[in-house]
């Protein structure tokens, strides 16, 4: 499925940040943002703030569709999101959610909150937490059929093999 830049790339960054956990450092964050966002290298104090933000992002992935709206609205409010149309670097007009001069943490907050807002509005059933028991990995479903339930093929295979073995064991 093709998402707009915020519903796709920004929501995927939100998922990537969540999946890093709270042990990620500035270099890891910088690498994630490098090809997908224009921000300077992340500093130590910024990584601490980003980790705190990702805890709030995780709640959106874990919530049911009704609760997601309130959670994302709170993220948008707290990110001081102020959408405007930009045409920088010869690109077609597109939305930005925070001033280009804003600090790194503000930009990450606005970008990920905006991405989740688009996803909640455009494709609310296309993201979540892996369905394999014990797996806490979050995902954004960009598959053609939109039926993703697992974070990876590996988790899906584990569940399907376990189900198969259970059926075989109960076969008369």
């Amino acid at each position: 499925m093709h998402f707009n830049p915020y519903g796709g790339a920004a929501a995927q960054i939100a998922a990537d940040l969540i999946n890093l956990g709270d042990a990620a450092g500035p270099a890891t964050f910088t690498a994630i943002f490098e090809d997908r966002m224009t921000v300077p290298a992340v500093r130590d104090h910024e990584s601490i703030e980003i980790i705190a933000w990702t805890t709030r992002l995780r709640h959106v992935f874990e919530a049911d569709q009704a609760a997601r709206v309130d959670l994302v609205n709170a993220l948008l409010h707290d990110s001081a999101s102020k959408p405007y149309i930009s045409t920088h670097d010869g690109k077609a007009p597109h939305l930005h959610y925070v001033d280009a001069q804003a600090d790194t943490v503000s930009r990450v907050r606005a970008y990920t909150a905006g991405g989740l807002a688009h996803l909640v509005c455009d494709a609310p059933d296309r993201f979540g937490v892996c369905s394999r028991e014990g797996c806490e990995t979050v995902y954004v479903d960009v598959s053609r059929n939109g039926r993703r339930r697992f974070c990876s093929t590996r988790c899906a295979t584990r569940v399907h093999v376990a189900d198969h073995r259970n059926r075989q064991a109960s076969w008369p």
Side-chain angles (χ1 to χ4, degrees):
M1 174 168 191
H2 176 67
F3 290 115
N4 68 41
Y6 283 94
Q12 188 59 56
I13 285 177
D16 291 347
L17 293 174
I18 294 164
N19 292 332
L20 285 174
D22 37 345
T28 306
F29 288 129
T30 299
I32 284 179
F33 304 141
E34 193 170 51
D35 295 330
R36 302 185 277 182
M37 285 180 66
T38 306
V39 293
V42 177
R43 297 184 302 251
D44 286 332
H45 72 280
E46 293 169 329
S47 65
I48 293 167
E49 291 181 62
I50 293 169
I51 288 168
W53 182 252
T54 61
T55 301
R56 294 184 62 194
L57 296 174
R58 175 174 280 284
H59 295 309
V60 176
F61 281 80
E62 294 172 340
D64 61 36
Q65 288 186 19
R68 285 178 172 169
V69 171
D70 291 334
L71 291 170
V72 172
N73 277 334
L75 292 174
L76 289 168
H77 178 269
D78 294 345
S79 69
S81 181
K82 295 179 183 176
Y84 68 95
I85 299 171
S86 177
T87 57
H88 63 87
D89 300 329
K91 294 180 182 176
H94 58 281
L95 286 174
H96 278 221
Y97 283 83
V98 70
D99 184 73
Q101 312 314 317
D103 65 272
T104 299
V105 174
S106 296
R107 295 180 73 160
V108 169
R109 286 178 177 169
Y111 191 60
T112 55
L116 291 178
H118 278 282
L119 204 51
V120 165
C121 292
D122 298 339
D125 56 339
R126 290 227 175 214
F127 67 110
V129 180
C130 183
S131 293
R132 184 177 67 83
E133 190 174 320
C135 183
E136 296 295 319
T137 304
V138 301
Y139 63 86
V140 175
D141 182 1
V142 294
S143 68
R144 185 178 299 255
N145 67 10
R147 296 179 185 256
R148 187 170 174 182
R149 296 183 314 133
F150 301 99
C151 66
S152 66
T153 303
R154 185 176 190 178
C155 276
T157 300
R158 285 182 178 182
V159 169
H160 296 314
V161 167
D163 288 347
H164 173 74
R165 288 182 179 154
N166 288 338
R167 284 191 306 274
Q168 294 301 315
S170 65
W171 188 265

